[in-house]
């Protein structure tokens, strides 16, 4: 009997000890959880702060870029205007040397204005502030208008420029001015990267897909082509393929980034195929109706710089 009582006593003692240990573990556990929660709160707060600082920096960058480009356009327009007047000889006849220098000023001012316009367009698109003015357009006439503008450039580079877009295609529902900008960038590239004697051909067709009828346009050239490792980055802004023969390619690397933004804003897609030394083909698609487009994209915007 005594043994039993002793055993009982011992077991009670053990149980109390275990209870105390359990309470201790529980307390430690709760403290650790509380401390971790506290740490998580501090980390979260720091993250939120960093995030809002990043957003603020991004907003400041956009505002700065936009302000700078606007501020640059005004003096550039003045420079171009005065240069044009000088070229006409209105302020007196120019010597051959003076005329050459003035023509250089005009060329550089045009390049700078194009760069400023590209930067402004990109910053607007990245901020989601570019609005499209969509109407129905015949794809072949859009291509025709671009070819007309770029014929002199092609002739100067001895590159043949052809419009092989099928006639009687369904009309594309798009902002004609913006799609002309897309075509201008693609065709200018095609001419720029094609050696004399080469060809640039624009083709276009329609396809019936489950989501509706779509127009597919393609700008193909017989130029230098793009190395396979450069293809994934080709639509990134400021990306240019380093050429081993040329020290530096003319341009800034903004054209294709703008192309991608504009096409995607229209609900279309861009893609590229290329073979080194053989040529490149840039494709993009356009819708023929407004179905599936975001209402917010259907605003108006007449601000494209000239
Ligand atoms: N048709 C093409 N053939 C070969 N390379 C091309 C072609 N189109 C684009 N590229 C390559 O992709 C790069 C990026 O093209 P993108 O139009 O964005 O810039 P860019 O023409 O160099 O300058 P920008 O268009 O701003 O004047 C080019 O620098 C060139 O290396
Ligand atoms: Mg370009």
């Amino acid at each position: 009997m005594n043994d039993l009582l002793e055993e009982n006593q011992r077991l009670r003692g053990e149980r109390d000890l275990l209870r105390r240990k359990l309470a201790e573990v529980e307390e430690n556990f709760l403290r650790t959880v509380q401390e971790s929660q506290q740490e998580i709160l501090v980390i979260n707060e720091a993250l939120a702060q960093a995030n809002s600082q990043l957003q603020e920096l991004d907003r400041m960058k956009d505002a700065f870029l936009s302000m700078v480009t606007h501020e640059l356009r005004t003096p550039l327009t003045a420079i171009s205007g005065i240069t044009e007047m000088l070229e006409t000889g209105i302020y007196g006849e120019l010597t051959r040397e003076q005329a050459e220098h003035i023509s250089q000023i005009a060329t550089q001012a045009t390049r700078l204005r194009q760069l400023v316009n590209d930067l402004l367009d990109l910053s607007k698109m990245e901020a989601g502030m570019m609005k499209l003015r969509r109407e129905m357009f015949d794809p072949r006439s859009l291509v025709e208008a671009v070819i007309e503008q770029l014929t002199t450039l092609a002739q100067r580079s001895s590159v043949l420029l052809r419009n092989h877009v099928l006639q009687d295609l369904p009309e594309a529902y798009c902002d004609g001015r913006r799609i002309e900008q897309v075509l201008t960038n693609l065709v200018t590239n095609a001419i720029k990267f094609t050696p004399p004697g080469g060809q640039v051909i624009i083709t276009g067709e329609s396809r019936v897909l489950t989501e509706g009828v779509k127009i597919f346009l393609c700008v193909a050239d017989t130029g230098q082509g793009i190395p396979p490792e450069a293809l994934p980055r080709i639509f990134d802004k400021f990306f240019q393929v380093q050429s081993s023969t040329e020290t530096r390619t003319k341009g800034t690397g903004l054209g294709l980034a703008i192309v991608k933004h504009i096409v995607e804003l229209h609900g279309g897609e861009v893609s590229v195929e290329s073979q080194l030394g053989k040529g490149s083909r840039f494709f993009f698609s356009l819708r023929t109706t407004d179905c599936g487009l975001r209402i917010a994209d259907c605003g108006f915007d007449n601000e494209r710089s000239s």
Side-chain angles (χ1 to χ4, degrees):
M1 187 67 182
N2 259 355
D3 285 354
L4 271 178
L5 279 174
E6 262 173 34
E7 183 61 8
N8 190 323
Q9 198 70 23
R10 193 183 64 76
L11 284 174
R12 274 169 194 267
E14 266 182 23
R15 187 196 60 190
D16 291 346
L17 189 70
L18 280 173
R19 272 189 184 154
R20 272 200 303 280
K21 278 198 173 156
L22 190 66
E24 228 170 82
V25 169
E26 241 174 74
E27 199 179 312
N28 278 344
F29 175 73
L30 278 177
R31 196 172 328 115
T32 316
V33 167
Q34 272 171 354
E35 279 170 8
S36 305
Q37 273 176 339
Q38 202 60 35
E39 270 173 35
I40 289 173
L41 276 179
V42 172
I43 292 171
N44 264 348
E45 209 167 297
L47 268 177
Q49 214 173 332
N51 209 9
S52 88
Q53 273 173 351
L54 269 179
Q55 277 175 352
E56 178 60 12
L57 274 177
D58 216 39
R59 201 194 51 73
M60 276 166 64
K61 182 207 76 181
D62 286 345
F64 175 73
L65 199 58
S66 178
M67 187 269 289
V68 169
T69 42
H70 273 298
E71 293 305 313
L72 279 173
R73 276 205 315 189
T74 317
L76 269 174
T77 309
I79 293 172
S80 294
I82 296 166
T83 316
E84 261 172 44
M85 283 204 288
L86 283 171
E87 274 180 324
T88 61
I90 189 174
Y91 299 122
E93 208 166 308
L94 302 171
T95 64
R96 198 175 55 84
E97 212 173 38
Q98 284 170 336
E100 261 172 34
H101 286 312
I102 286 177
S103 146
Q104 279 283 329
I105 296 175
T107 312
Q108 296 305 329
T110 307
R111 276 185 62 185
L112 199 52
R113 203 169 52 214
Q114 187 54 49
L115 171 62
V116 170
N117 286 343
D118 282 353
L119 282 169
L120 196 59
D121 279 347
L122 255 182
S123 75
K124 262 203 241 169
M125 285 188 275
E126 284 176 348
M129 282 168 63
M130 180 176 281
K131 300 289 177 216
L132 299 177
R133 184 174 208 156
R134 274 181 271 236
E135 289 167 54
M136 301 308 289
F137 283 96
D138 169 24
R140 200 179 147 83
S141 349
L142 289 176
V143 172
E144 203 50 61
V146 170
I147 285 192
E148 216 178 287
Q149 281 173 32
L150 295 177
T151 296
T152 316
L153 180 70
Q155 279 170 352
R156 255 193 261 137
S157 314
S158 305
V159 168
L160 198 70
L161 195 51
R162 287 277 176 269
N163 181 358
H164 284 186
V165 176
L166 293 177
Q167 294 198 346
D168 303 323
L169 281 183
E171 290 190 315
Y173 183 64
C174 63
D175 183 329
R177 206 171 40 118
R178 291 290 173 194
I179 295 305
E180 278 188 19
Q181 191 182 351
V182 165
L183 284 162
T184 303
N185 284 356
L186 292 178
V187 175
T188 309
N189 279 350
I191 297 172
K192 189 159 68 168
F193 299 107
T194 298
Q199 290 187 16
V200 174
I201 296 176
I202 304 147
T203 52
E205 57 180 37
S206 64
R207 285 183 217 154
V208 185
L209 305 171
T210 40
E211 64 262 38
V213 180
K214 277 195 175 181
I215 309 284
F216 289 86
L217 290 167
C218 166
V219 177
D221 65 61
T222 57
Q224 64 189 52
I226 301 162
E229 66 276 11
L231 286 175
R233 296 191 54 202
I234 208 76
F235 292 100
D236 291 357
K237 68 179 168 184
F238 300 117
F239 179 81
Q240 293 185 300
V241 176
Q242 290 300 324
S243 154
S244 50
T245 48
E246 277 172 71
T247 41
R248 201 177 124 53
T249 323
K250 267 193 203 154
T252 321
L254 292 177
L256 289 179
I258 292 174
V259 163
K260 187 170 170 13
H261 268 291
I262 295 180
V263 171
E264 290 180 352
L265 208 54
H266 279 81
E269 288 116 45
V270 284
S271 61
V272 58
E273 284 173 3
S274 189
Q275 250 187 302
L276 262 186
K278 296 229 163 120
S280 311
R281 296 198 295 169
F282 284 85
F283 303 89
F284 68 96
S285 60
L286 288 174
R287 294 167 186 246
T288 51
T289 61
D290 62 348
C291 62
L293 289 171
R294 285 176 294 147
I295 304 279
D297 295 337
C298 301
F300 296 92
D301 169 51
N302 283 318
E303 252 193 72
R304 168 72 185 167
S305 17
S306 54

